[in-house]
């Protein structure tokens, strides 16, 4: 797999990373530990060098999996993790106080079985802690050698500018896909201006763009998509138009819809590195194949025109999860 530079930070990653969240958190019961480790290792053996985790993905459980799977190749991979939720639970509110950031860093280093974190993201901007203070704390961790690069997730343009002035932001991780194109308005131009890399999360639209789910799909009772307005049965029925479009494009390119969703992101900018997640070996291989599909400017123009004509229905997050909305 080819590599990409995340902006001007000097951070080089495989063009497709691997999002480890779903192995422990978010989409139903955790994957059995041996299977999860085998999957992470398979991603590495297939050329993936960029792995994404967070404290909040099972209160350290996901970081421990990543540590177990990759500690023997530590110097060959880039590991990104995140701080910012109280008690490491996204239902408990935000907490980016400096002492908490330091506590998370120490836990992450232990769980990941390493003495440095390549990329340490603030998971969400905390309205109670100025971003300058957060950036300053990460700057200190960088000076101490415990962290290599600073990242933000779902941060708005003002927060990014303010933080970047204290400690350069290497990468922004926010939702971006054919299913959620809002970053094209203000975020992507700002990242280009400041030389910040972009790591789109949920690049497969949380699975929706793959064509493997429809209005009849039943989610496990612990699956977050049960409470996400975009994923109500009614909205899935309406939003099926985008799946039909991606499926049609996939047919034209001899690819699968998941591969087209990833190729579309890779074609946007050379400093974008998406992090699809899966719990299944065959899908991992399929997704990695997305890096081999190249969409040219003509393809993009046709696809984007068609996307512009689709009106999607449903908010990303319910009011009860307002903390997850970016600032
Ligand atoms: N910063 C943040 O706030 C934030 C938020 C969300 C996610 N993330 C990160 O981004 C990563 C990816 O995002 P995500 O997991 O939300 O969404 P995603 O990668 O867009 O989609 C994952 C979903 O798609 C399914 N899937 C994956 N490949 C497939 C394929 N080829 N065919 C059919 N279904 C497929 C998976 O199910 P199976 O497991 O059954 O394959 C899973 O339900 C996460 O792992 C996490 O590291 C960050």
């Amino acid at each position: 797999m080819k590599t990409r530079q995340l902006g001007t930070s000097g951070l080089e990653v495989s063009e497709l990373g691997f999002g480890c969240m779903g192995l422990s958190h978010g989409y139903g019961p955790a994957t059995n530990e041996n299977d999860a480790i085998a999957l992470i290792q398979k991603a590495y053996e297939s050329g993936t060098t960029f792995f994404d985790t967070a404290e909040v993905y099972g209160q350290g459980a996901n970081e421990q999996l990543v540590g177990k799977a990759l500690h023997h190749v530590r110097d060959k991979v880039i590991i990104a993790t995140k701080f910012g939720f109280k008690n490491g639970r996204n239902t408990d509110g935000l907490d980016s106080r400096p002492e908490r950031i330091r506590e998370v860093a120490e836990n992450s280093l232990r769980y990941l079985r390493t003495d440095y974190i390549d990329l340490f993201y603030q998971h969400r901007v905390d309205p109670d802690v100025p971003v300058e203070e957060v950036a300053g704390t990460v700057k200190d961790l960088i000076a101490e050698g415990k962290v290599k690069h600073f990242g933000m997730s779902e941060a708005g343009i003002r927060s990014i500018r303010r933080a970047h002035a204290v400690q350069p932001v290497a990468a922004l991780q926010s939702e971006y896909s054919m299913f959620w194109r809002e970053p094209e308005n203000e975020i992507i131009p700002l990242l280009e201006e400041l030389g910040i890399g972009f790591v789109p999360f949920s690049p497969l639209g949380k699975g929706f763009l793959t064509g493997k789910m429809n209005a009849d799909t039943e989610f496990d009772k612990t699956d977050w998509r049960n409470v996400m307005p975009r994923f109500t049965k009614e909205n899935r029925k309406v939003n099926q138009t985008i799946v039909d479009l991606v499926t049609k494009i996939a047919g034209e390119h001899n690819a699968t819809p998941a591969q087209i969703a990833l190729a579309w992101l890779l074609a946007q900018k050379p400093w974008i590195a998406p992090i699809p997640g899966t719990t299944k070996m065959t899908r991992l291989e399929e997704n990695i194949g997305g890096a081999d599909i190249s969409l040219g400017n003509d393809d993009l123009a046709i696809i984007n025109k068609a996307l512009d004509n689709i009106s999607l229905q449903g908010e990303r997050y319910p009011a009860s999860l307002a903390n997850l909305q970016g600032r």
Side-chain angles (χ1 to χ4, degrees):
M1 185 169 342
K2 292 202 265 311
T3 58
R4 288 185 168 204
Q5 297 280 340
L6 285 178
T8 53
S9 63
L11 188 56
E12 185 173 329
V13 297
S14 53
E15 56 186 345
L16 288 180
F18 183 65
C20 300
M21 178 187 80
L23 297 170
S24 314
H25 168 93
Y27 300 138
T31 302
N32 152 294
E33 179 174 298
N34 288 340
D35 293 346
I37 290 173
L39 198 70
I40 295 170
Q41 291 179 338
K42 177 71 182 175
Y44 171 71
E45 285 154 19
S46 308
T48 305
T49 58
F50 186 26
F51 293 86
D52 189 75
T53 180
E55 180 201 31
V56 80
Y57 303 159
Q59 287 183 290
N62 197 252
E63 290 175 311
Q64 290 182 54
L65 274 183
V66 173
K68 276 189 188 166
L70 298 175
H71 68 95
H72 63 297
V73 290
R74 178 64 190 96
D75 58 337
K76 310 245 179 346
V77 293
I78 298 295
I79 299 178
T81 191
K82 315 181 193 82
F83 62 86
F85 286 104
K86 201 174 191 170
N87 309 319
R89 276 196 293 262
N90 61 5
T91 44
D92 284 9
L94 298 167
D95 189 350
S96 278
R97 289 171 302 130
E99 56 269 37
R100 175 70 184 135
I101 297 175
R102 285 193 163 273
E103 185 186 32
V104 179
E106 294 303 331
N107 289 340
S108 297
L109 289 170
R110 202 172 62 253
Y111 295 152
L112 291 166
R113 301 187 187 196
T114 182
D115 52 10
Y116 64 94
I117 296 162
D118 294 284
L119 177 55
F120 204 27
Y121 294 103
Q122 183 186 30
H123 213 144
R124 288 294 183 277
V125 170
D126 182 342
D128 296 331
V129 184
V131 284
E132 289 81 359
E133 210 173 311
V134 173
T137 306
V138 178
K139 190 184 184 89
D140 291 345
L141 289 167
I142 291 172
E144 292 160 30
K146 293 179 176 176
V147 168
K148 300 283 186 204
H149 297 275
F150 175 37
M152 300 179 86
S153 176
E154 286 282 323
I157 54 169
R158 275 175 296 280
S159 303
I160 296 170
R161 273 195 195 281
R162 285 171 49 196
H164 191 73
V166 176
Q167 167 59 44
V169 178
L172 177 78
Q173 180 178 132
S174 290
E175 182 163 358
Y176 182 38
S177 72
M178 288 167 147
F179 200 31
W180 180 254
R181 293 176 62 203
E182 202 254 359
E184 291 174 6
N185 301 331
E186 290 187 313
I187 292 288
I188 290 180
L190 178 73
L191 300 184
E192 187 139 49
E193 177 198 324
L194 299 179
I196 299 174
F198 192 19
V199 178
F201 77 68
S202 301
L204 304 170
K206 301 190 192 297
F208 192 65
L209 295 171
T210 67
K212 296 281 165 31
M213 70 168 77
N214 58 32
D216 299 325
T217 304
E218 298 287 344
F219 298 122
D220 182 90
K221 64 178 188 320
T222 60
D223 191 313
W224 284 88
R225 287 170 294 198
N226 286 311
V227 296
M228 294 185 174
R230 267 185 307 182
F231 285 92
T232 63
K233 280 183 183 288
E234 187 203 348
N235 288 341
R236 271 182 273 156
K237 201 177 266 178
V238 172
N239 296 338
Q240 185 64 32
T241 44
I242 193 166
V243 182
D244 297 341
L245 172 68
V246 184
T247 306
K248 178 172 155 287
I249 302 162
E252 291 161 6
H253 289 268
N254 200 19
T256 68
Q259 290 172 335
I260 291 297
L262 296 171
W264 179 84
L265 282 168
L266 288 170
Q268 301 299 320
K269 297 286 177 192
W271 36 268
I272 286 184
I275 46 167
T278 180
T279 54
K280 301 181 175 62
M281 217 45 111
T282 52
R283 291 178 174 180
L284 171 72
E285 288 167 13
E286 175 189 342
N287 296 347
I288 288 173
D292 296 329
I293 314 285
S294 115
L295 298 176
N297 286 339
D298 292 349
D299 295 315
L300 280 186
I302 294 166
I303 296 170
N304 289 352
K305 195 165 170 225
L307 287 173
D308 288 343
N309 288 328
I310 291 176
S311 122
L312 296 168
Q313 197 164 290
E315 297 294 325
R316 286 195 302 158
Y317 298 112
S320 60
L321 291 176
N323 269 342
L324 299 183
Q325 208 75 49
R327 287 187 176 85

